[in-house]
Amino acid sequence: MNHQADHIHPSTVEPAGPSPDRREFLRIAGTSAAAAGMLSTAGGTAFAAAPMGAALPSGADNFYTSNQVIVQQVSFKSQYRMTVTGTLFVPSTLDRKKRTPAIVVGHPMGAVKEQSANLYATKMAERGFVALSVDLAFWGGSEGQPRNAVSPDMYSETFSAAVDFLGSQAFVDRQQIGAIGVCGSGSFVISAAKIDPRLKAIATVSMYDMGAANRNALNHSQTLAQRKQIIAAAAAQRDVEFNGGAVQYTGGTVLRLKADTHPIQREFFDFYRTPRGEFTPLGASSQTTTMPTLSSNVKFMNFYPFNDIETISPRPLLFITGDQAHSKEFSEDAYQRAAEPKELHYVPGAGHVDLYDRVTLIPWDKLASFFDRHLIKARA
């Protein structure tokens, strides 16, 4: 696969601000890799970060591969003529003369398809589905400048472009295409499904509503005054970049731990900054992975994926969250707003990041039975 080879301009990770408190707030509240570290820890479980070389958490296997699956790197155009890169996973026993149900899988916000999405796609292919993991626009191998930019509409478009691609494959049943959105992609796939009825069944895992997370932070712990500070900083940075200044980044996962590092940041660090899940695409910098650009991150303030979520009905929705996840409020909110058929499934003992890669915790049979049942029904 040809990744984007564009150079990311070096820049400080933490945006400049009027005071140390302001800088710390932006570092914690900036939301990229699943809005890590949003001020409040209520309802979450803290995980100490594993040092390099330490044993992985039980069952963690982000880079899992299978000899039951044929893997192919693919690329295709979105509606906006931007190249989307993906990895296609096909069961090795697939009869290519028949049409088979397919599933699109989206990665966590700030991640790339090699982080969680490939794992989910592989496991679904083992269970007989054609599966396609994709890099969202501006991330990984997919096109879009500047790198790491935030554009909720383009992210949702990535899912629809993936449906375009899958529907063109002779061995895929275009009437039986579903999707899985992990973390931030859960909100992007819901946004896509509201206006793309070709997505026949939608599952989210450890979902973040990236709009609400940016407007309000976890547990509505961010004030309007703080929100306006963030908006003002982004607007000021636009002026800097328009006049040739360096791109700056916000949020994401910290590069190193300190004694007072936020517990939720520790949870993300354990995945994104250790061999458990670290992945730097070609042309990118390990210093800015997971971190969206400061000037674009405010686009999430105008993102309301759960508005009109009930219009997805009668297509089914499955929301999967850990019962210890700091993010479970978003799955619960979506479930309350959605119309039938819908299901909210709690994974006992699981935190947010656990469901990225801990294969012994992720409810594979639940996902497979959901798509088996509803994609076949969609064809009837």
Side-chain angles (χ1 to χ4, degrees), residues 113-264:
K113 62 183 178 299
E114 287 80 7
Q115 293 165 313
S116 193
N118 278 0
L119 169 61
Y120 274 78
T122 301
K123 289 291 188 178
M124 291 297 99
E126 283 185 336
R127 285 158 173 77
F129 299 94
V130 173
L132 173 67
S133 66
V134 289
D135 281 327
L136 298 178
F138 305 100
W139 296 88
S142 290
E143 284 188 336
Q145 292 290 340
R147 306 308 294 162
N148 297 25
V150 168
S151 177
D153 180 66
M154 291 294 190
Y155 296 167
S156 298
E157 163 61 20
T158 301
F159 282 94
S160 289
V163 176
D164 296 338
F165 172 79
L166 285 172
S168 72
Q169 304 305 300
F171 51 86
V172 169
D173 189 328
R174 64 171 60 242
Q175 299 302 319
Q176 294 182 306
I177 298 176
I180 299 171
V182 181
C183 188
S185 277
S187 58
F188 309 143
V189 73
I190 285 174
S191 180
K194 289 190 296 185
I195 58 172
D196 194 340
R198 300 174 304 169
L199 288 165
K200 302 298 185 183
I202 300 93
T204 70
V205 180
S206 288
M207 178 170 57
Y208 254 81
D209 174 346
M210 294 305 300
N214 276 268
R215 287 186 297 274
N216 307 317
L218 291 176
N219 300 300
H220 293 259
S221 57
Q222 180 170 281
T223 67
L224 178 59
Q226 289 170 325
R227 185 195 306 180
K228 288 184 175 180
Q229 274 191 305
I230 294 170
I231 292 170
Q237 180 60 24
R238 286 185 68 119
D239 289 334
V240 171
E241 293 173 12
F242 184 81
N243 289 295
V247 173
Q248 284 196 318
Y249 302 88
T250 187
T253 303
V254 295
L255 298 174
R256 60 194 62 84
L257 296 178
K258 301 177 182 178
D260 62 348
T261 298
H262 195 282
I264 297 176

Side-chain angles (χ1 to χ4, degrees), residues 319-366:
F319 306 103
I320 296 174
T321 183
D323 67 358
Q324 301 300 308
H326 66 261
S327 58
K328 66 180 180 180
E329 63 179 279
F330 301 119
S331 294
E332 291 168 344
D333 182 26
Y335 176 76
Q336 290 298 322
R337 295 173 182 235
E340 296 288 353
K342 61 181 179 179
E343 184 175 359
L344 177 60
H345 179 78
Y346 291 96
V347 179
H352 177 86
V353 175
D354 286 331
L355 299 185
Y356 284 15
D357 69 335
R358 293 185 66 184
V359 294
T360 53
L361 280 178
I362 297 168
W364 303 115
D365 290 343
K366 181 73 176 178

